[in-house]
Amino acid sequence: MPSQRAHFAQHTVPVAAPADVVYGLLADSPRWPVLLPSYVHVERIDFDGTEESLRLWRLRHGQVCSSPVRRVLRAAERRITFELDGSPVSGAPTSGVWSVAPDGAGRCLVTLRHESPAGPGSTPEALESDVRAELTALCEAAGRWDRLDELLLSFEDSVHVSGSPELVYDFLYRVEDWADLVPHVERADVTEDRPGVQEAVLHTCEPDTGRTLVSECVRLCFPAAGRIVHKETLTPDPVASHYGEWYLEPGETGVRVVSVHHVMLRESAVESVLGEGALLVDARRHVRERLGRSSTEALGLARWHAESAVRRLR
């Protein structure tokens, strides 16, 4: 049998961060959606400390693509090999290697080698573009390494619902109806070309200022698991990236509904939004209050939707 043709690309870039920090970012796959723009969601299926199984959802050329990935992490060598299934060429997975090497005090060199089977829609130019884009995104994220504790924040809000989990999920899923149901949502345009993959443009009102904020997001819906994951692809300042999840925890007396947010701030936009002299701590408070208020309002309405339906059936 003739060998399968393949495309190769390899690039090395300098990164203004210590080698161990950059390796840590590459190894910590669940955090990629808030650090790297193209990743919508990363589900870690199995991990024994060295070998890891993932499912990745990411944006490629404006489309959400999903694929299983197997990785081997060699921390002592700062080296990660990966094999990505779901190739258009049967039996020929995409594979590659990340490697990180120190390059003086507080700097390193990162090399990404990618091998992709030649097939429909696969070209050397496309692979080159993908490799360069991955390295650029990593450089930008790693360049903030010494400020990530200030730039990143995570929090959650929750509510207990004495009603059907299916009704709660139905409310959270039907985001296209929120303009009629949720006071802070002025408009919601939603497309769902594939079941469970929603692309939404939301116009929301900021109560303190009255200004309209526009955000675009991808939502991945998992009804069997009672989860909806969302990643904003267009964020209002001072938010640089925003990744979150709605999930349901059924119990004996109802269901706990949780809204989780992971945010990275855009430091350069803090003063333009909050005024001269505003600091990152002010932006953290502002974003926590804004997103928390919005999610708490939606959670309360989800509870009303489920509990009022139960009362009507009695």
Side-chain angles (χ1 to χ4, degrees):
M1 179 180 292
S3 61
Q4 175 64 52
R5 291 177 55 244
H7 301 311
F8 298 89
Q10 177 171 315
H11 289 284
T12 299
V13 296
V15 180
D20 288 338
V21 168
V22 176
Y23 176 82
L25 292 179
L26 291 170
D28 191 5
S29 54
R31 282 215 301 174
W32 290 353
V34 75
L35 294 172
L36 304 175
S38 67
Y39 288 89
V40 175
H41 179 50
V42 178
E43 192 80 19
R44 178 177 273 163
I45 299 167
D46 188 39
F47 185 42
D48 64 6
T50 300
E51 297 188 11
E52 179 182 49
S53 296
L54 306 170
R55 178 165 283 276
L56 303 180
W57 285 262
R58 57 182 305 195
L59 288 167
R60 294 192 74 248
H61 312 300
Q63 299 294 317
V64 179
C65 304
S66 172
S67 57
V69 178
R70 293 186 297 276
R71 304 204 307 165
V72 178
L73 284 69
R74 305 292 186 190
E77 304 167 26
R78 302 187 192 91
R79 177 182 173 91
I80 300 172
T81 60
F82 61 88
E83 189 173 278
L84 191 139
D85 291 334
S87 162
V89 182
S90 177
T94 294
S95 61
V97 182
W98 288 96
S99 58
V100 185
D103 185 36
R107 299 185 62 84
C108 65
L109 295 173
V110 179
T111 300
L112 173 57
R113 173 182 169 83
H114 226 150
E115 176 180 342
S116 178
S122 174
T123 66
E125 294 77 15
L127 186 59
E128 285 278 339
S129 177
D130 286 348
V131 168
R132 291 182 183 277
E134 289 252 7
L135 287 168
T136 297
L138 176 68
C139 286
E140 291 179 357
R144 308 181 184 102
W145 72 273
D146 58 341
R147 303 191 309 283
L148 282 180
D149 286 346
E150 295 178 272
L151 293 172
L152 292 173
L153 65 151
S154 298
F155 56 91
E156 68 176 45
D157 298 292
S158 65
V159 66
H160 182 270
V161 179
S162 300
S164 161
E166 290 78 13
L167 289 173
V168 174
Y169 188 89
D170 175 69
F171 177 88
L172 297 174
Y173 171 80
R174 291 187 296 105
V175 67
E176 68 272 13
D177 296 337
W178 282 14
D180 297 323
L181 301 172
V182 181
H184 75 268
V185 179
E186 299 175 342
R187 178 177 171 181
D189 300 318
V190 182
T191 58
E192 188 171 349
D193 295 331
R194 286 177 290 161
V197 181
Q198 299 176 334
E199 297 182 35
V201 180
L202 300 179
H203 298 246
T204 60
C205 178
E206 189 174 54
D208 295 340
T209 65
R211 68 174 179 146
T212 296
L213 305 178
V214 180
S215 62
E216 298 178 6
C217 69
V218 174
R219 292 169 32 112
L220 305 177
C221 305
F222 306 99
R227 301 173 64 201
I228 297 175
V229 173
H230 53 89
K231 164 72 178 273
E232 287 196 39
T233 55
L234 174 66
T235 57
D237 285 335
V239 174
S241 66
H242 177 206
Y243 162 71
E245 178 178 359
W246 305 91
Y247 69 88
L248 279 60
E249 292 183 335
E252 294 182 1
T253 60
V255 58
R256 179 173 177 253
V257 190
V258 185
S259 171
V260 180
H261 299 277
H262 305 286
V263 175
M264 182 160 62
L265 298 172
R266 180 175 291 116
E267 189 170 9
S268 62
V270 170
E271 288 193 346
S272 64
V273 174
L274 299 180
E276 186 176 353
L279 304 174
L280 278 173
V281 65
D282 304 309
R284 292 172 66 88
R285 186 183 307 111
H286 168 79
V287 170
R288 173 64 179 99
E289 290 175 355
R290 177 173 67 80
L291 291 178
R293 183 167 52 230
S294 297
S295 59
T296 299
E297 185 175 65
L299 288 168
L301 289 166
R303 177 171 60 187
W304 176 86
H305 177 74
E307 293 182 349
S308 62
V310 170
R311 288 193 294 270
R312 288 196 298 270
L313 291 173
R314 287 175 178 169

